[in-house]
Amino acid sequence: MKKIVIGGSGILLLLVTCLLAWYVHSQTFQATKTSESTTESTTITKTTSTEKVEVKPEKKAPVSLPVTTNQELENYLIGQHFSGTALVVRKGKVILNQSYGLANQEKQIKNTPNTRYYIGSAQKAIIATAILQLEQAGKIKIEDPVAKYIKDFPNGQQITLKNLLNHTSGLTGRTEGSKEILPQQIIQEIEAAGSDSTIGTWHYSDSNYAVLAYILQLVSKQDAQEYIQEHIFEAANMQNTGFFKNDAAVENLSESYKEKNGQIEKAQLPNLSQLFGAGDIYTTATDFYLFDQALMQGKLINEVEKNKMMTSGSDSTYGMGFYVNPGSYSSHGVLGGFNTINTFTHTGLTDIILLANTNQVQSLGQTADAIYGMLNQMA
């Protein structure tokens, strides 16, 4: 085996070659790392950017209850001259979902389960729910004095939000006019009218709920209609419910009629901006049922707040938006010829909703009671 002898110049050449190879390798390695780092950084940036994009939840599918009849209940309603939509649900089963009479007598348009009706004071249950949502969120307390939210309100240090909810505030109330009005003007009229009864004494007045709707706006920093649309209508999937607006026609809205001297004539309604918080909502029977179910199932307020709502605040049995009866909760509203009863059992398993567009039924409350009785006979 021959030995390889490298001279001084050869050694120098070998060293230079090795150094050059090392330099080229180090530069290539650095370039690769820089490229990988840049790619990784870009990827992370893209991921972070994507995470910041808000994805709105998909709109829920509208609920359509089966149109069905029960001959006994139907015969009873027809005998009562009921005109409107009747919905009766028991243990999740639709017993009756039918409409009777005409939504528009001039155009001969019939009422249907999709017909919308103004519900008058029955909407107070919706306003009360919104106030209790704010309490649940820690933004108010129903024991707070009104003066905490509306400075210089008459007796505002003594009247609480609970008094307003129970109709025990002692407020005199205002006279509702016929012209368009703003919520601030309504509050000014209520303040000017002052109080004429003792705090704690039952005195039903729309003014109580007008003040509550105004406080709802102040605390939520939203228009009352916007808040309720977002936190109640959308939460309960009430897609056919809305608010009166002066310049907007409402599709599928029933007209209301009154019987006078044996003749049916169109009822005169006030400008519904006058009924802020107390009568400017329209809905369908199906949507009202969805509200009831969402309320009872804890989708709108928790059990603590619901118990407050369903506790009578006076001898009148009125709680917060509902009358508290021995076996049921009920809300009632009359507006022109519109007449509404929304009632369900304490378990929420039986629900009766009667939305009428005439005043021909002598007592819609007694009609609902009779339906409860007939349902018990069917059990």
Side-chain angles (χ1 to χ4, degrees), residues 31-287:
T32 303
K33 291 297 288 179
T34 301
S35 175
E36 290 175 353
S37 176
T38 303
T39 302
E40 183 179 351
S41 177
T42 303
T43 303
I44 291 172
T45 302
K46 286 181 180 178
T47 303
T48 303
S49 176
T50 302
E51 289 174 352
K52 289 181 181 178
V53 175
E54 280 190 26
V55 180
K56 291 186 177 181
E58 292 184 11
K59 189 175 181 179
K60 298 175 184 177
V63 173
S64 180
L65 298 178
V67 177
T68 186
T69 191
N70 175 283
Q71 202 60 57
E72 184 180 357
L73 297 182
E74 182 162 287
N75 289 342
Y76 174 72
L77 289 170
I78 292 173
Q80 293 289 308
H81 305 290
F82 177 79
S83 174
T85 298
L87 175 62
V88 179
V89 183
R90 195 172 200 187
K91 297 179 180 178
K93 181 182 179 182
V94 179
I95 306 297
L96 177 71
N97 185 19
Q98 283 288 335
S99 297
Y100 310 89
L102 298 174
N104 188 310
Q105 298 200 12
E106 293 77 15
K107 297 179 180 179
Q108 291 292 292
I109 298 172
K110 293 181 178 181
N111 285 315
T112 75
N114 294 321
T115 299
R116 293 161 162 167
Y117 305 82
Y118 278 107
I119 59 174
S121 289
Q123 85 172 57
K124 289 184 172 76
I126 294 172
I127 302 299
T129 300
I131 293 295
L132 292 170
Q133 283 180 338
L134 293 181
E135 179 171 71
Q136 184 175 314
K139 296 181 178 180
I140 65 169
K141 292 181 180 178
I142 62 171
E143 301 292 348
D144 287 341
V146 174
K148 182 175 179 179
Y149 306 99
I150 306 175
K151 189 180 178 182
D152 299 327
F153 193 85
N155 285 343
Q157 291 293 349
Q158 289 75 42
I159 299 171
T160 65
L161 304 191
K162 185 177 180 181
N163 290 136
L164 297 174
L165 288 161
N166 293 152
H167 291 291
T168 57
S169 66
L171 291 177
T172 303
R174 57 183 283 272
T175 302
E176 292 154 356
S178 59
K179 296 181 179 179
E180 184 176 0
I181 192 170
L182 295 173
Q184 296 94 316
Q185 294 172 296
I186 290 176
I187 299 304
Q188 289 169 4
E189 290 182 7
I190 293 170
E191 289 176 329
S195 300
D196 63 359
S197 59
T198 306
I199 296 172
T201 302
W202 162 258
H203 173 59
Y204 188 93
S205 173
D206 287 347
S207 292
N208 289 304
Y209 275 74
V211 176
L212 287 167
Y214 190 68
I215 291 172
L216 169 66
Q217 294 192 151
L218 296 176
V219 175
S220 69
K221 296 180 172 55
Q222 283 183 277
D223 180 89
Q225 296 183 4
E226 292 175 357
Y227 177 92
I228 291 169
Q229 176 67 41
E230 179 183 348
H231 293 87
I232 296 180
F233 297 166
E234 291 179 11
N237 200 19
M238 300 164 68
Q239 297 190 25
N240 290 295
T241 304
F243 290 85
F244 165 81
K245 292 179 181 174
N246 279 309
D247 57 352
V250 179
E251 187 179 358
N252 292 332
L253 179 66
S254 175
E255 298 287 349
S256 77
Y257 300 90
K258 283 189 172 183
E259 186 177 30
K260 188 176 181 181
N261 300 323
Q263 299 294 318
I264 297 295
E265 58 184 44
K266 202 168 183 178
Q268 296 298 313
L269 298 179
N271 185 295
L272 297 189
S273 65
Q274 295 274 344
L275 300 180
F276 172 70
D280 57 349
I281 289 177
Y282 59 81
T283 191
T284 64
T286 295
D287 270 15

